[in-house]
C-alpha cells in the first residue's frame, strides 16, 4: 500500500509526443516511469480546458457536479482559513476527504484550491491564480524591456486570434516587449567603476500597470570581453536591488545584482509598496558599445502571505527558495530568447519537486498535488511547426520547435527524476495531464455567428471593450464558463431576459440546427461535431443550474476565436494550436487532445 502519493500534474502534456521524446532518449526519467510503472491515456471532458478537467480529476466527478464555473474569490491578503468565500468546486475534493480523516495534503498551484475553507490538516502553498481572482498574490508578471531597435527587430508575428476562449479578450494576444531607453553616459551616479559605462532606467510595473519601483541599469566593462549590467536603485553602483537572498548573502555583495549576457542575477528581496517580495533580472542581449540592450525580470512574488498555514512559509523559502512562475520570453521558435523561458520552466519544475519533498516530510501528510504549465505553452507555440501538412513545416523554425518542445518537456522529466531519486518505500508518483493539443486549421467566431442570425447584439463600452446589449439578445456565452456552452436569455431566469419560456425549446432547436449547419466554405466540412440541449447534456457530463442551455463540441481542426465583423468561419494561415472545446478524441501525428496518466510505485 502506498503511504504517500505525489501527483505531478502537467498542463497539456501530450501522450504521443511524450512517447516520441521518450523513444528519442530525451526524457530518461519519464522513460523509467513508463518502463517500471503503468501508462494510459485519459479522455478529457468537454471543454478540454485545464480548470474543468483538473477539478474533475481532484473530485472524481464530472463537470456537472465538480465545476461551478470561474468563481471570483477574495485575494489571499484578505482571506483566512475560516472564510465562507465561494468555491469553484461543486463537490468534495480529494484533499478535503483526507482532511476529514485526519490526513494532511500539500496542494501547490492547483486550480481553484483557494480558499482552504476551514481545513485543519491541509497545506495550500502558492494558490493557483487560474480560474480565481487572486491577482493580489502576484505583484508583477514577468516582463522584458528592449531598446527600440531590438524591439522592432524581434517583433513577434501576430497572434492567430484562435486558441483562446471567446470571452472577455476575444482572442489570444501576444504582448509586445516594453521599450527601454537607449543607454547614455551616467549622470548623477555614485561609486562608478573605472572604464567606460552607460546607464538607463526602466519601471518595475505591477499587475495593474502601476510603477512599483524604478530600476537603474549600469553597463560596465564595455571595452572588455565580459560586459556586465548592474541592476541598482538610486543610481549607486555599489548598491544592489534590495537584499541578496542567495546562500552567500553579504559575501556576494557587489556582484549578486550584476549579470553578463545570458546570466541571471541572484534573487533579491525588495520592499514594494509595503510588501516583501522577490525578483531576479537577466541580461538578454548587449550590442557593441552598449547602444542596444535587452533585459528581463522574473515574476515578482511576495515573500509572505502566500500559503496556508502562514507558519510554513519561512521553512519553505529556506528549503527551496523563492517561487516564480511564467516567463517574459515565449517557448516559440520565432522568439530569439526562448532559452530564457526554458530556464524559468526548469526553475519552476525543480521548485515544485523540492516543495513536494519538503511538504510531505511533515507527519501524516499523505498527498501532494500540483499543476505545472510550461508544457502547454510550448504546445501552443510549437506544435503547428511539426505538422507536415502545413506550410509552416520544414526549415529552421521546425528544428527549433522540436528542440523547444524537448527542453520544455525535459523540465518535467527533471522534476520526475528528483521525485524518484528521493522516493521512500511506499511512495507513489503520478504524472498526469488534463488534455493535450492539436493543430488548428479553421477559426470559428461563435459571437459573429449569433450576431449574424440576430440572436446576439454586442455594443462597445466606454473603455473600448465589448458588452452584451441585453435588450436585443436572445442567446449568449458566459465569460465564467468554458466557451462550449450557449445560454438562452430566458425571461424569469435572467435579470434582463427577452425569451419567453414557451419559446425556450424552439430556440434551442434553432441554435442547434444553426451549429450543425455551420460549415467551412472551401471544404464543406462541418464546424461542430455535436450539439445537445441541456436536458441531453448529461451525455457529456453536464447538468445543474450552472450548465448551459446548449452544449456543443467543435470538430478536429476547428477552434474558437475572433474574426472580422461579418465573417463567422475562415481558414487560418498562421501557426495555431488549441484544445478547448475541440472534440477530445482529436489526434493527428504527434498531436492529440487526450490527456495521460502514468503511475510508478508499490501496487502499480
Amino acid at each position: 500500500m502506498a503511504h504517500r502519493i505525489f501527483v505531478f500534474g502537467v498542463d497539456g502534456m501530450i501522450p504521443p509526443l511524450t512517447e516520441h521524446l521518450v523513444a528519442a532518449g530525451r526524457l530518461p526519467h519519464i522513460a523509467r516511469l513508463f518502463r517500471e510503472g503503468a501508462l494510459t491515456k485519459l479522455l478529457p471532458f468537454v471543454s478540454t480546458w485545464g480548470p474543468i478537467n483538473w477539478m474533475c480529476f481532484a473530485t472524481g466527478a464530472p463537470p456537472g457536479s465538480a465545476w461551478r464555473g470561474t468563481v471570483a474569490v477574495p485575494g489571499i491578503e484578505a482571506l483566512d482559513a475560516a472564510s465562507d468565500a465561494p468555491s469553484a468546486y461543486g463537490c468534495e475534493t480529494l484533499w478535503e476527504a483526507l482532511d476529514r480523516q485526519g490526513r494532511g495534503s500539500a496542494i501547490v498551484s492547483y486550480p481553484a484550491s483557494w480558499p482552504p475553507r476551514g481545513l485543519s490538516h491541509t497545506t495550500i502553498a502558492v494558490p493557483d491564480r487560474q480560474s480565481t481572482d487572486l491577482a493580489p498574490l502576484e505583484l508583477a508578471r514577468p516582463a522584458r524591456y528592449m531598446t527600440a531597435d531590438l524591439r522592432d527587430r524581434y517583433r513577434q508575428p501576430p497572434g492567430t486570434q484562435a486558441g483562446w476562449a471567446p470571452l472577455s479578450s476575444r482572442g489570444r494576444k501576444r504582448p509586445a516587449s516594453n521599450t527601454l531607453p537607449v543607454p547614455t553616459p551616467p549622470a548623477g551616479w555614485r561609486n562608478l567603476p573605472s572604464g567606460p559605462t552607460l546607464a538607463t532606467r526602466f519601471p518595475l510595473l505591477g499587475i495593474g500597470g502601476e510603477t512599483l519601483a524604478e530600476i537603474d541599469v549600469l553597463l560596465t566593462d564595455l571595452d572588455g570581453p565580459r560586459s556586465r549590467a548592474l541592476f541598482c536603485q538610486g543610481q549607486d553602483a555599489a548598491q544592489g536591488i534590495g537584499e541578496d537572498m542567495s546562500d552567500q548573502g553579504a559575501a556576494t555583495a557587489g556582484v549578486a545584482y550584476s549579470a553578463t549576457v545570458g546570466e541571471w542575477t541572484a534573487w533579491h528581496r525588495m520592499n514594494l509598496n509595503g510588501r516583501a517580495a522577490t525578483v531576479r533580472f537577466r541580461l538578454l542581449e548587449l550590442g557593441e558599445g552598449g547602444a542596444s540592450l535587452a533585459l528581463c525580470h522574473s515574476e515578482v512574488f511576495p515573500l509572505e502571505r502566500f500559503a496556508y498555514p502562514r507558519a510554513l512559509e519561512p521553512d519553505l523559502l529556506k528549503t527551496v527558495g523563492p517561487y516564480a512562475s511564467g516567463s517574459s520570453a515565449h517557448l516559440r521558435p520565432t522568439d530569439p530568447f526562448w532559452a530564457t523561458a526554458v530556464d524559468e520552466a526548469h526553475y519552476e519544475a525543480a521548485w515544485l519537486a523540492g516543495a513536494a519533498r519538503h511538504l510531505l516530510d511533515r507527519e501524516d501528510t499523505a498527498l501532494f498535488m500540483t499543476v505545472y504549465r510550461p508544457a502547454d505553452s510550448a504546445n501552443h507555440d510549437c506544435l503547428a511547426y511539426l505538422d507536415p501538412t502545413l506550410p509552416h513545416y520544414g526549415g529552421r523554425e521546425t528544428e527549433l520547435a522540436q528542440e523547444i518542445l524537448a527542453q520544455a518537456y525535459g523540465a518535467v522529466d527533471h522534476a520526475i527524476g528528483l521525485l524518484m531519486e528521493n522516493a521512500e518505500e511506499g511512495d507513489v508518483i503520478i504524472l498526469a495531464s488534463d488534455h493535450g493539443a492539436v493543430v488548428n486549421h479553421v477559426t470559428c467566431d461563435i459571437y459573429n455567428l449569433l450576431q449574424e442570425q440576430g440572436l446576439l447584439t454586442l455594443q462597445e463600452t466606454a473603455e473600448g471593450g465589448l458588452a452584451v446589449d441585453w435588450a436585443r439578445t436572445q442567446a449568449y456565452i458566459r465569460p465564467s464558463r468554458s466557451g462550449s456552452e450557449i445560454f438562452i436569455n430566458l425571461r424569469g431566469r435572467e435579470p434582463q431576459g427577452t425569451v419567453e419560456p414557451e419559446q425556450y425549446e424552439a430556440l434551442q432547436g434553432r441554435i442547434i440546427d444553426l451549429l450543425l449547419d455551420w460549415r467551412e466554405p472551401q471544404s464543406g466540412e462541418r464546424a461542430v461535431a455535436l450539439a445537445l440541449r441541456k436536458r441531453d447534456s448529461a451525455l457529456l457530463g453536464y447538468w445543474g443550474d450552472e450548465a448551459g442551455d446548449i452544449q456543443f463540441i467543435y470538430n478536429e481542426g476547428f477552434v474558437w476565436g475572433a474574426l472580422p465583423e461579418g465573417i463567422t468561419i475562415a481558414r487560418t494561415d498562421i501557426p495555431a494550436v488549441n484544445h478547448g472545446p475541440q472534440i477530445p478524441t482529436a489526434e493527428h501525428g504527434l498531436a492529440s487532445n487526450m490527456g495521460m496518466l502514468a503511475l510508478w510505485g508499490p501496487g502499480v
Side-chain angles (χ1 to χ4, degrees), residues 1 8 20 66 96 113 143 156 172 185 187 197 214 218 245 271 355 388 407 411 460 525 530 560 580 599:
M1 292 289 290
F8 198 92
H20 170 76
E96 288 172 318
S113 56
Q156 292 296 292
R172 189 181 182 89
T197 57
E214 293 284 353
L218 185 71
M245 294 187 66
N271 189 297
Q407 293 197 32
E460 287 195 17
E525 291 181 89
L530 182 67
W560 50 20
L599 303 96

Side-chain angles (χ1 to χ4, degrees), residues 166-324:
L167 308 179
S168 57
S169 63
R170 300 198 68 214
R172 189 181 182 89
K173 298 179 180 178
R174 292 180 175 172
S177 300
N178 300 302
T179 301
L180 185 70
V182 174
T184 57
W189 277 74
R190 299 178 297 281
N191 299 306
L192 287 173
S194 59
T197 57
L198 292 173
T200 187
R201 170 182 284 189
F202 67 92
L204 189 63
L205 299 175
I207 55 172
E210 72 281 11
T211 297
L212 299 175
E214 293 284 353
I215 308 300
D216 292 297
V217 183
L218 185 71
L219 305 177
T220 68
D221 300 321
L222 293 174
D223 55 354
R226 286 179 59 82
S227 300
R228 306 186 71 85
L230 305 182
F231 295 87
C232 310
Q233 278 187 291
Q235 295 185 323
D236 187 342
Q239 182 64 48
I241 301 295
E243 176 188 350
D244 174 20
M245 294 187 66
S246 65
D247 291 339
Q248 292 82 14
T252 63
V255 296
Y257 54 93
S258 73
T260 59
V261 173
E263 283 185 342
W264 286 101
T265 66
W267 288 101
H268 287 271
R269 179 193 302 265
M270 300 182 70
N271 189 297
L272 300 172
N273 293 346
R275 300 183 69 188
T278 185
V279 65
R280 62 176 178 169
F281 301 88
R282 185 171 191 164
L283 180 58
L284 297 171
E285 184 171 328
L286 182 59
E288 185 175 354
S292 296
L293 178 64
L295 52 86
C296 69
H297 67 74
S298 67
E299 179 184 48
V300 182
F301 202 79
L303 292 171
E304 56 191 10
R305 299 189 66 77
F306 64 85
Y308 165 79
R310 311 294 186 203
L312 67 86
E313 294 172 350
D315 283 345
L316 186 60
L317 286 169
K318 182 178 179 181
T319 303
V320 292
Y323 175 77

